[in-house]
Amino acid sequence: MSNAPRASGIAKDWGSDDSASPILHVDMDSFFASVEVALDPRLRGVPLIVGGLGNRGVVTSCTYDVRALGVRAGMPMSRARALAPNATVLPGRRQDYATYSHRVMELLGRYTPRMEAASIDEAYLDVSGAKRQFGSPMQIAVDLREKIRTQLGLPASVGIAANKTVAKIASAHAKPNGVLLIPADATEQFLAGLPIGALPGIGRKSGEALTARGIDTLGDLAQWDFKDLERIVGPTSAYSLQRRARGEDTSRVGQRESEKSISTEETFSRNLLSRVQVSAYLNQAAYQCARRLRSSQLRAWTVHLKLRDASFRTITRSLTLFAPTDVGREISDAVLQLFDREALPAGGVRLAGVGVSSLVSLTSGVPVPLEEDTRPREVETAMDRVQEKFGISAAQPASSLGKPWESSAR
């Protein structure tokens, strides 16, 4: 759910020449909320918010009628409820969202192997080599949106442009449930009138620093004195931001910086007051990290534990393994070993997390013990195949079923 600023008066037609605009950015509309509707059609047309239900909960997704009332992703749920008192609030189902995400990405991958999943609900496609089979970029965008709608019951918006940066900005302005083509020769004109926050990579602080100097639009940013821009955001950021504000982006689809770490953490609706509760969560989070490692063809040398107590004091601990792993059981054993060394905070655990780092790719070769027991990995890999076909809840280790840390919390 994107919070990027959009220009309300932006034109919806910039021409029909897509011959030099082969990059598509597919962004699912209100993804979590849309999945909830797909799973329960009775929710169709109902104002809907998805997120944490407790006092500490935040919004993760909402329908567009609720967005019109000012609700945004990351907003405290208490504030969202005040803005939209008639909205239905759901806690969310991560496993179902992951299943639908996998189905979306699988469908997009049928059009071109040059696909890059940017997050759970968005992806880039380079359709340069798919035109003969599937038609022009615009035809492909229309066709894939229709297939996502009919086969999965989900709405999606698509931006079409000459490069990834402009395609992503275009998809934001195609929402909800639309397509926006930016011909290559219309790129600068399209970008010039947009607010600077529309450019990916400009956060709140840097945006405030820029607007304080009178840089309000991407057109301003593109033409600003480079030396002055360096003084505001630094030389590296100045160069990158100014190039992209002009619509210059040479990064290829699929060309992403390799992951340096993977982590899973959760802030609990009530502090966990027993070691059993915390251990149950850490075990499940370890298996989630392992699944992500296997899906990315990575193994990790180092396992990390993160705990935050009731007074917001945070501790982190780490353990380097004898050999890199992508096995949930091994990551769980390591993180629980770290946890065993720590005293349970007097006021309970507010947040817990598991992370892995020092990642190595299987394609580059990894060291393995001489007498490695391959059975745990084989079992978890078999579960991966079942989950890919039938959903994550179809097969899980018995030790990671349910949320015992919630049901037993007091």
Coordinates of all heavy atoms in Angstrom, one line a residue, residues 273-355:
L273 N 4.9 -12.9 28.6 CA 5.3 -12.9 30.0 C 6.0 -14.3 30.4 O 6.3 -14.5 31.5 CB 4.1 -12.7 31.0 CG 3.4 -11.3 30.8 CD1 2.2 -11.2 31.7 CD2 4.4 -10.2 31.0
S274 N 6.1 -15.2 29.4 CA 6.7 -16.5 29.8 C 7.7 -16.8 28.7 O 7.6 -16.4 27.5 CB 5.7 -17.6 29.9 OG 5.2 -18.0 28.6
R275 N 8.7 -17.6 29.1 CA 9.7 -18.1 28.1 C 9.1 -19.0 27.1 O 9.6 -19.0 25.9 CB 10.9 -18.8 28.8 CG 11.6 -17.9 29.9 CD 12.9 -18.6 30.3 NE 13.9 -18.6 29.3 CZ 14.7 -17.6 29.1 NH1 14.7 -16.5 29.8 NH2 15.6 -17.7 28.1
V276 N 8.1 -19.7 27.4 CA 7.4 -20.6 26.5 C 6.8 -19.9 25.3 O 7.0 -20.2 24.2 CB 6.4 -21.5 27.2 CG1 5.5 -22.3 26.2 CG2 7.0 -22.4 28.2
Q277 N 6.2 -18.7 25.7 CA 5.6 -17.9 24.6 C 6.6 -17.4 23.7 O 6.5 -17.4 22.4 CB 4.8 -16.7 25.3 CG 3.6 -17.2 26.1 CD 3.0 -16.0 26.8 OE1 3.7 -15.4 27.6 NE2 1.8 -15.6 26.5
V278 N 7.7 -16.8 24.2 CA 8.7 -16.2 23.4 C 9.4 -17.3 22.5 O 9.6 -17.1 21.3 CB 9.8 -15.5 24.3 CG1 10.9 -14.9 23.4 CG2 9.1 -14.4 25.1
S279 N 9.7 -18.4 23.1 CA 10.3 -19.5 22.4 C 9.5 -20.0 21.2 O 10.0 -20.3 20.1 CB 10.6 -20.6 23.3 OG 11.6 -20.3 24.3
A280 N 8.1 -20.0 21.5 CA 7.2 -20.5 20.4 C 7.3 -19.5 19.2 O 7.3 -19.9 18.1 CB 5.8 -20.5 20.9
Y281 N 7.3 -18.2 19.5 CA 7.4 -17.2 18.4 C 8.7 -17.3 17.7 O 8.8 -17.3 16.5 CB 7.2 -15.8 18.9 CG 7.5 -14.8 17.8 CD1 6.5 -14.7 16.8 CD2 8.7 -14.2 17.7 CE1 6.8 -13.8 15.7 CE2 9.0 -13.4 16.6 CZ 8.0 -13.2 15.6 OH 8.3 -12.4 14.5
L282 N 9.8 -17.4 18.4 CA 11.1 -17.5 17.8 C 11.3 -18.7 16.9 O 11.9 -18.6 15.9 CB 12.2 -17.5 18.9 CG 12.3 -16.2 19.8 CD1 13.4 -16.4 20.9 CD2 12.7 -15.0 18.9
N283 N 10.7 -19.8 17.3 CA 10.8 -21.0 16.5 C 10.1 -20.8 15.2 O 10.6 -21.1 14.1 CB 10.1 -22.2 17.3 CG 10.1 -23.4 16.5 OD1 11.1 -24.1 16.2 ND2 8.9 -23.8 16.1
Q284 N 8.9 -20.2 15.3 CA 8.1 -20.0 14.0 C 8.8 -19.0 13.1 O 8.9 -19.2 11.9 CB 6.7 -19.5 14.3 CG 5.8 -19.5 13.1 CD 4.4 -19.2 13.4 OE1 3.9 -18.1 13.2 NE2 3.7 -20.2 13.9
A285 N 9.4 -17.9 13.7 CA 10.1 -16.9 12.9 C 11.3 -17.5 12.3 O 11.7 -17.1 11.1 CB 10.5 -15.7 13.8
A286 N 12.0 -18.4 12.9 CA 13.2 -19.1 12.4 C 12.8 -19.9 11.1 O 13.5 -19.8 10.1 CB 13.8 -20.0 13.4
Y287 N 11.7 -20.6 11.1 CA 11.3 -21.3 10.0 C 10.9 -20.4 8.8 O 11.1 -20.7 7.6 CB 10.1 -22.3 10.3 CG 10.6 -23.6 10.9 CD1 10.7 -23.7 12.3 CD2 10.9 -24.6 10.1 CE1 11.1 -24.9 12.8 CE2 11.3 -25.9 10.6 CZ 11.4 -26.0 12.0 OH 11.9 -27.2 12.5
Q288 N 10.3 -19.2 9.1 CA 10.0 -18.2 8.1 C 11.3 -17.7 7.4 O 11.3 -17.6 6.2 CB 9.2 -17.1 8.7 CG 7.8 -17.5 9.1 CD 7.0 -16.3 9.8 OE1 7.4 -15.1 9.7 NE2 6.0 -16.6 10.5
C289 N 12.3 -17.4 8.2 CA 13.5 -17.0 7.7 C 14.1 -18.0 6.8 O 14.7 -17.7 5.7 CB 14.5 -16.6 8.8 SG 14.2 -15.1 9.7
A290 N 14.1 -19.3 7.2 CA 14.6 -20.4 6.4 C 13.9 -20.5 5.1 O 14.5 -20.7 4.0 CB 14.5 -21.7 7.2
R291 N 12.6 -20.4 5.1 CA 11.8 -20.5 3.8 C 12.2 -19.4 2.9 O 12.4 -19.6 1.7 CB 10.3 -20.4 4.2 CG 9.4 -20.6 3.0 CD 8.0 -20.9 3.4 NE 7.4 -19.9 4.2 CZ 7.1 -20.0 5.5 NH1 7.3 -21.2 6.1 NH2 6.6 -19.1 6.2
R292 N 12.4 -18.2 3.4 CA 12.9 -17.1 2.5 C 14.3 -17.3 2.0 O 14.6 -17.0 0.8 CB 12.8 -15.7 3.3 CG 11.4 -15.3 3.6 CD 11.3 -14.1 4.5 NE 12.0 -13.0 3.9 CZ 12.2 -11.8 4.6 NH1 11.8 -11.7 5.8 NH2 12.9 -10.8 4.0
L293 N 15.2 -17.9 2.8 CA 16.5 -18.2 2.3 C 16.4 -19.2 1.1 O 17.1 -19.0 0.1 CB 17.3 -18.8 3.4 CG 17.9 -17.9 4.5 CD1 18.4 -18.7 5.7 CD2 19.0 -17.0 3.9
R294 N 15.6 -20.2 1.3 CA 15.5 -21.3 0.2 C 15.0 -20.7 -1.0 O 15.4 -21.0 -2.1 CB 14.7 -22.5 0.7 CG 15.4 -23.3 1.8 CD 14.7 -24.6 2.1 NE 13.3 -24.4 2.6 CZ 13.0 -24.3 3.9 NH1 14.0 -24.3 4.8 NH2 11.8 -24.1 4.2
S295 N 13.9 -19.8 -0.9 CA 13.3 -19.2 -2.1 C 14.3 -18.3 -2.8 O 14.1 -18.1 -4.0 CB 12.1 -18.5 -1.7 OG 12.4 -17.3 -1.0
S296 N 15.3 -17.8 -2.1 CA 16.3 -16.9 -2.7 C 17.6 -17.6 -3.1 O 18.5 -17.0 -3.5 CB 16.6 -15.7 -1.8 OG 15.4 -14.9 -1.5
Q297 N 17.6 -18.9 -2.9 CA 18.8 -19.7 -3.1 C 20.0 -19.2 -2.3 O 21.1 -19.0 -2.8 CB 19.1 -19.7 -4.6 CG 18.1 -20.4 -5.5 CD 18.1 -21.9 -5.3 OE1 19.0 -22.6 -5.6 NE2 17.0 -22.4 -4.8
L298 N 19.8 -19.0 -1.0 CA 20.8 -18.4 -0.2 C 20.9 -19.3 1.1 O 20.0 -20.0 1.5 CB 20.4 -17.0 0.3 CG 20.3 -15.9 -0.8 CD1 19.8 -14.7 -0.2 CD2 21.7 -15.6 -1.4
R299 N 22.1 -19.2 1.7 CA 22.3 -19.8 3.0 C 23.0 -18.7 3.9 O 23.6 -17.8 3.4 CB 23.1 -21.1 3.0 CG 22.4 -22.2 2.3 CD 23.1 -23.5 2.4 NE 22.5 -24.6 1.7 CZ 22.9 -25.8 1.6 NH1 24.1 -26.2 2.2 NH2 22.3 -26.7 0.9
A300 N 22.8 -18.9 5.2 CA 23.3 -17.9 6.2 C 24.3 -18.5 7.1 O 24.1 -19.6 7.7 CB 22.1 -17.3 6.9
W301 N 25.3 -17.7 7.4 CA 26.3 -18.1 8.4 C 25.9 -17.7 9.8 O 26.3 -18.3 10.8 CB 27.7 -17.4 8.1 CG 28.5 -18.1 7.0 CD1 28.6 -17.7 5.7 CD2 29.4 -19.2 7.2 NE1 29.5 -18.6 5.1 CE2 30.0 -19.5 6.0 CE3 29.7 -20.0 8.3 CZ2 30.9 -20.6 5.8 CZ3 30.6 -21.1 8.1 CH2 31.2 -21.3 6.9
T302 N 25.2 -16.5 9.9 CA 25.0 -15.9 11.2 C 23.5 -15.8 11.5 O 22.7 -15.4 10.7 CB 25.7 -14.6 11.3 OG1 27.0 -14.7 11.0 CG2 25.5 -14.0 12.7
V303 N 23.1 -16.2 12.8 CA 21.7 -16.1 13.2 C 21.7 -15.0 14.3 O 22.6 -14.9 15.2 CB 21.3 -17.4 13.8 CG1 19.8 -17.3 14.4 CG2 21.3 -18.5 12.7
H304 N 20.6 -14.2 14.3 CA 20.5 -13.0 15.2 C 19.2 -13.2 16.0 O 18.1 -13.6 15.5 CB 20.4 -11.7 14.4 CG 21.7 -11.5 13.6 ND1 22.7 -10.7 14.0 CD2 21.9 -11.8 12.3 CE1 23.6 -10.7 13.1 NE2 23.2 -11.3 12.0
L305 N 19.3 -12.8 17.2 CA 18.1 -12.7 18.1 C 17.9 -11.2 18.5 O 18.8 -10.4 18.7 CB 18.3 -13.4 19.4 CG 17.4 -13.1 20.6 CD1 16.0 -13.7 20.3 CD2 17.9 -13.7 21.9
K306 N 16.6 -10.8 18.4 CA 16.2 -9.4 18.8 C 15.1 -9.4 19.8 O 14.1 -10.1 19.6 CB 15.8 -8.6 17.6 CG 15.4 -7.1 17.8 CD 15.1 -6.4 16.5 CE 14.7 -5.0 16.8 NZ 14.4 -4.3 15.5
L307 N 15.3 -8.7 20.9 CA 14.2 -8.6 21.9 C 14.1 -7.2 22.4 O 15.1 -6.5 22.5 CB 14.6 -9.5 23.2 CG 14.7 -11.0 23.0 CD1 15.2 -11.6 24.3 CD2 13.4 -11.6 22.6
R308 N 12.8 -6.8 22.6 CA 12.6 -5.4 23.1 C 11.6 -5.6 24.3 O 10.6 -6.3 24.2 CB 11.9 -4.5 22.1 CG 11.6 -3.1 22.6 CD 11.2 -2.2 21.4 NE 12.3 -2.1 20.4 CZ 12.1 -1.9 19.1 NH1 10.8 -1.8 18.6 NH2 13.1 -1.8 18.3
D309 N 12.0 -5.0 25.4 CA 11.1 -5.1 26.6 C 10.1 -4.0 26.8 O 9.9 -3.2 25.9 CB 12.0 -5.2 27.9 CG 12.8 -3.9 28.2 OD1 12.4 -2.8 27.6 OD2 13.8 -4.0 28.9
A310 N 9.4 -4.0 27.9 CA 8.3 -3.1 28.1 C 8.7 -1.6 28.1 O 8.0 -0.7 27.9 CB 7.5 -3.4 29.4
S311 N 10.0 -1.4 28.5 CA 10.5 0.0 28.6 C 11.2 0.4 27.3 O 11.9 1.4 27.2 CB 11.5 0.1 29.7 OG 12.6 -0.8 29.5
F312 N 11.0 -0.4 26.2 CA 11.5 -0.2 24.9 C 13.1 -0.3 24.8 O 13.7 0.1 23.8 CB 11.2 1.3 24.4 CG 9.7 1.4 24.1 CD1 8.8 1.7 25.1 CD2 9.2 1.2 22.8 CE1 7.4 1.8 24.8 CE2 7.9 1.4 22.5 CZ 7.0 1.7 23.5
R313 N 13.7 -1.0 25.8 CA 15.1 -1.3 25.7 C 15.2 -2.5 24.7 O 14.5 -3.5 24.9 CB 15.6 -1.7 27.1 CG 17.1 -2.0 27.1 CD 17.6 -2.3 28.5 NE 17.1 -3.6 28.9 CZ 17.9 -4.7 28.8 NH1 19.1 -4.7 28.3 NH2 17.4 -5.9 29.2
T314 N 16.1 -2.4 23.8 CA 16.3 -3.5 22.8 C 17.7 -4.1 22.9 O 18.7 -3.4 23.1 CB 16.1 -2.9 21.4 OG1 14.8 -2.3 21.2 CG2 16.3 -4.0 20.3
I315 N 17.7 -5.4 22.9 CA 19.0 -6.1 22.8 C 19.0 -7.0 21.6 O 18.0 -7.5 21.0 CB 19.2 -7.0 24.1 CG1 18.1 -8.2 24.1 CG2 19.1 -6.3 25.4 CD1 18.5 -9.3 25.0
T316 N 20.2 -7.1 21.0 CA 20.5 -8.0 19.9 C 21.6 -8.9 20.2 O 22.6 -8.5 20.8 CB 20.8 -7.3 18.6 OG1 21.9 -6.4 18.8 CG2 19.6 -6.4 18.2
R317 N 21.5 -10.2 19.9 CA 22.6 -11.2 20.1 C 22.7 -11.9 18.8 O 21.8 -12.1 18.0 CB 22.2 -12.1 21.2 CG 22.0 -11.4 22.6 CD 23.3 -10.9 23.2 NE 23.1 -10.3 24.5 CZ 22.9 -9.1 24.7 NH1 22.8 -8.2 23.7 NH2 22.7 -8.6 26.0
S318 N 23.9 -12.5 18.5 CA 24.2 -13.2 17.3 C 25.1 -14.4 17.6 O 25.8 -14.5 18.5 CB 24.8 -12.3 16.3 OG 26.1 -11.8 16.7
L319 N 25.0 -15.4 16.7 CA 25.7 -16.6 16.8 C 26.1 -17.0 15.4 O 25.3 -17.1 14.4 CB 24.9 -17.7 17.4 CG 25.5 -19.1 17.5 CD1 26.7 -19.1 18.5 CD2 24.5 -20.1 18.0
T320 N 27.4 -17.3 15.2 CA 27.9 -17.7 13.9 C 27.9 -19.3 13.9 O 28.4 -19.9 14.8 CB 29.3 -17.2 13.6 OG1 29.3 -15.8 13.5 CG2 29.9 -17.7 12.3
L321 N 27.4 -19.9 12.8 CA 27.2 -21.3 12.7 C 28.5 -22.0 12.2 O 29.4 -21.4 11.7 CB 26.1 -21.6 11.8 CG 24.7 -21.0 12.1 CD1 23.7 -21.3 11.1 CD2 24.2 -21.4 13.5
F322 N 28.6 -23.3 12.4 CA 29.7 -24.1 11.9 C 29.7 -24.1 10.4 O 30.8 -24.2 9.8 CB 29.6 -25.5 12.5 CG 30.6 -26.5 12.0 CD1 31.9 -26.3 12.5 CD2 30.3 -27.5 11.1 CE1 32.9 -27.2 12.0 CE2 31.3 -28.3 10.7 CZ 32.6 -28.2 11.1
A323 N 28.5 -24.1 9.8 CA 28.4 -24.0 8.3 C 27.1 -23.3 8.0 O 26.2 -23.2 8.8 CB 28.3 -25.5 7.8
P324 N 27.1 -22.6 6.8 CA 25.9 -21.8 6.5 C 24.7 -22.7 6.3 O 24.8 -23.9 5.9 CB 26.3 -21.1 5.2 CG 27.4 -22.0 4.6 CD 28.1 -22.5 5.8
T325 N 23.5 -22.2 6.6 CA 22.3 -23.1 6.6 C 21.1 -22.3 5.9 O 21.1 -21.1 5.9 CB 21.9 -23.5 8.0 OG1 20.9 -24.5 7.9 CG2 21.5 -22.3 8.8
D326 N 20.1 -23.1 5.5 CA 18.8 -22.6 5.1 C 17.7 -23.5 5.7 O 16.6 -23.6 5.2 CB 18.7 -22.6 3.6 CG 18.9 -23.9 2.9 OD1 19.1 -24.9 3.6 OD2 18.8 -24.0 1.7
V327 N 18.1 -24.2 6.8 CA 17.2 -25.1 7.4 C 16.6 -24.5 8.7 O 17.3 -24.0 9.6 CB 18.0 -26.4 7.8 CG1 17.0 -27.4 8.5 CG2 18.5 -27.1 6.6
G328 N 15.3 -24.5 8.7 CA 14.5 -23.9 9.8 C 14.9 -24.5 11.2 O 15.1 -23.7 12.2
R329 N 15.1 -25.8 11.3 CA 15.4 -26.4 12.5 C 16.8 -25.9 13.1 O 16.9 -25.6 14.3 CB 15.5 -27.9 12.3 CG 15.8 -28.7 13.6 CD 16.1 -30.1 13.4 NE 14.9 -30.8 12.8 CZ 14.9 -32.1 12.6 NH1 15.9 -32.9 12.8 NH2 13.8 -32.7 12.1
E330 N 17.7 -25.7 12.2 CA 19.0 -25.2 12.6 C 19.0 -23.8 13.0 O 19.7 -23.4 14.0 CB 20.1 -25.5 11.5 CG 20.3 -26.9 11.1 CD 21.2 -27.1 9.9 OE1 21.7 -26.1 9.4 OE2 21.4 -28.3 9.5
I331 N 18.3 -23.0 12.3 CA 18.1 -21.6 12.7 C 17.4 -21.5 14.0 O 17.8 -20.7 14.9 CB 17.4 -20.8 11.6 CG1 18.3 -20.8 10.3 CG2 17.2 -19.3 12.1 CD1 17.5 -20.2 9.1
S332 N 16.4 -22.3 14.2 CA 15.6 -22.3 15.5 C 16.5 -22.7 16.6 O 16.5 -22.1 17.7 CB 14.4 -23.2 15.3 OG 13.7 -23.3 16.6
D333 N 17.3 -23.7 16.4 CA 18.2 -24.2 17.5 C 19.1 -23.1 17.9 O 19.4 -22.9 19.1 CB 19.0 -25.4 17.1 CG 18.1 -26.7 17.0 OD1 17.0 -26.7 17.5 OD2 18.5 -27.7 16.4
A334 N 19.7 -22.4 16.9 CA 20.6 -21.3 17.2 C 20.0 -20.2 18.0 O 20.6 -19.7 19.0 CB 21.3 -20.8 15.9
V335 N 18.8 -19.7 17.5 CA 18.2 -18.5 18.1 C 17.7 -18.9 19.5 O 17.8 -18.0 20.5 CB 17.1 -17.9 17.2 CG1 15.8 -18.7 17.3 CG2 16.9 -16.5 17.6
L336 N 17.2 -20.1 19.7 CA 16.8 -20.5 21.1 C 18.0 -20.7 22.0 O 17.9 -20.4 23.2 CB 16.0 -21.8 21.0 CG 14.6 -21.7 20.3 CD1 13.9 -23.0 20.2 CD2 13.7 -20.7 21.0
Q337 N 19.1 -21.0 21.5 CA 20.3 -21.1 22.3 C 20.7 -19.7 22.7 O 21.1 -19.5 23.9 CB 21.5 -21.7 21.4 CG 22.8 -21.8 22.2 CD 23.9 -22.4 21.3 OE1 23.6 -23.1 20.3 NE2 25.1 -22.1 21.6
L338 N 20.6 -18.7 21.9 CA 20.8 -17.3 22.3 C 19.8 -16.9 23.3 O 20.2 -16.2 24.3 CB 20.8 -16.4 21.0 CG 21.9 -16.6 20.0 CD1 21.5 -15.8 18.7 CD2 23.2 -16.1 20.6
F339 N 18.6 -17.2 23.1 CA 17.5 -16.8 24.0 C 17.7 -17.4 25.4 O 17.5 -16.8 26.5 CB 16.2 -17.2 23.5 CG 15.0 -16.8 24.4 CD1 14.9 -15.5 24.9 CD2 14.0 -17.7 24.7 CE1 13.8 -15.1 25.7 CE2 13.0 -17.4 25.5 CZ 12.9 -16.1 26.0
D340 N 18.2 -18.7 25.5 CA 18.5 -19.3 26.7 C 19.5 -18.6 27.6 O 19.5 -18.7 28.8 CB 18.9 -20.8 26.5 CG 17.8 -21.7 26.0 OD1 16.6 -21.3 26.2 OD2 18.1 -22.8 25.5
R341 N 20.3 -17.8 27.0 CA 21.4 -17.1 27.7 C 20.9 -15.8 28.3 O 21.6 -15.1 29.1 CB 22.6 -16.8 26.8 CG 23.2 -18.0 26.2 CD 24.2 -17.6 25.1 NE 24.8 -18.7 24.4 CZ 25.6 -18.6 23.3 NH1 25.9 -17.4 22.9 NH2 26.1 -19.7 22.8
E342 N 19.6 -15.4 27.9 CA 19.1 -14.1 28.3 C 18.0 -14.3 29.4 O 17.2 -15.2 29.3 CB 18.5 -13.3 27.2 CG 19.5 -13.1 26.0 CD 20.6 -12.2 26.4 OE1 20.4 -11.3 27.2 OE2 21.8 -12.5 26.0
A343 N 18.0 -13.4 30.4 CA 16.9 -13.4 31.4 C 15.7 -12.8 30.7 O 15.8 -11.8 29.9 CB 17.3 -12.6 32.6
L344 N 14.5 -13.3 31.1 CA 13.3 -12.7 30.6 C 13.0 -11.4 31.3 O 13.0 -11.3 32.5 CB 12.1 -13.7 30.9 CG 10.8 -13.3 30.3 CD1 10.8 -13.6 28.8 CD2 9.6 -14.1 30.9
P345 N 12.8 -10.3 30.5 CA 12.6 -9.0 31.1 C 11.4 -9.0 32.1 O 10.4 -9.7 31.9 CB 12.2 -8.1 29.9 CG 12.9 -8.8 28.8 CD 12.8 -10.2 29.0
A346 N 11.5 -8.3 33.2 CA 10.5 -8.3 34.2 C 9.1 -7.9 33.7 O 8.1 -8.5 34.1 CB 10.9 -7.4 35.4
G347 N 9.0 -7.0 32.8 CA 7.8 -6.6 32.3 C 7.3 -7.3 31.0 O 6.3 -7.0 30.4
G348 N 8.1 -8.4 30.7 CA 7.7 -9.2 29.5 C 8.4 -8.6 28.2 O 9.1 -7.6 28.2
V349 N 8.2 -9.4 27.1 CA 8.8 -9.0 25.8 C 7.7 -8.4 25.0 O 6.7 -8.9 24.7 CB 9.3 -10.3 25.2 CG1 9.8 -10.0 23.7 CG2 10.4 -10.9 26.0
R350 N 8.0 -7.2 24.5 CA 7.1 -6.4 23.7 C 7.3 -6.8 22.2 O 6.4 -6.8 21.4 CB 7.4 -4.9 23.9 CG 6.7 -4.0 22.9 CD 7.1 -2.5 23.1 NE 6.5 -1.6 22.1 CZ 5.4 -1.0 22.3 NH1 4.7 -1.2 23.4 NH2 4.9 -0.3 21.3
L351 N 8.6 -7.0 21.8 CA 8.9 -7.3 20.4 C 10.0 -8.4 20.4 O 10.9 -8.4 21.2 CB 9.4 -6.1 19.6 CG 9.9 -6.3 18.2 CD1 9.6 -5.0 17.4 CD2 11.4 -6.6 18.2
A352 N 9.8 -9.3 19.5 CA 10.9 -10.4 19.3 C 11.1 -10.5 17.8 O 10.2 -10.3 17.0 CB 10.5 -11.7 19.9
G353 N 12.3 -10.9 17.5 CA 12.7 -11.1 16.1 C 13.8 -12.1 15.9 O 14.6 -12.3 16.8
V354 N 13.8 -12.7 14.7 CA 14.9 -13.6 14.3 C 15.5 -13.1 12.9 O 14.7 -12.7 12.1 CB 14.4 -15.0 14.1 CG1 15.5 -15.9 13.6 CG2 13.9 -15.5 15.4
G355 N 16.8 -13.0 12.8 CA 17.4 -12.6 11.6 C 18.5 -13.5 11.2 O 19.1 -14.2 12.1

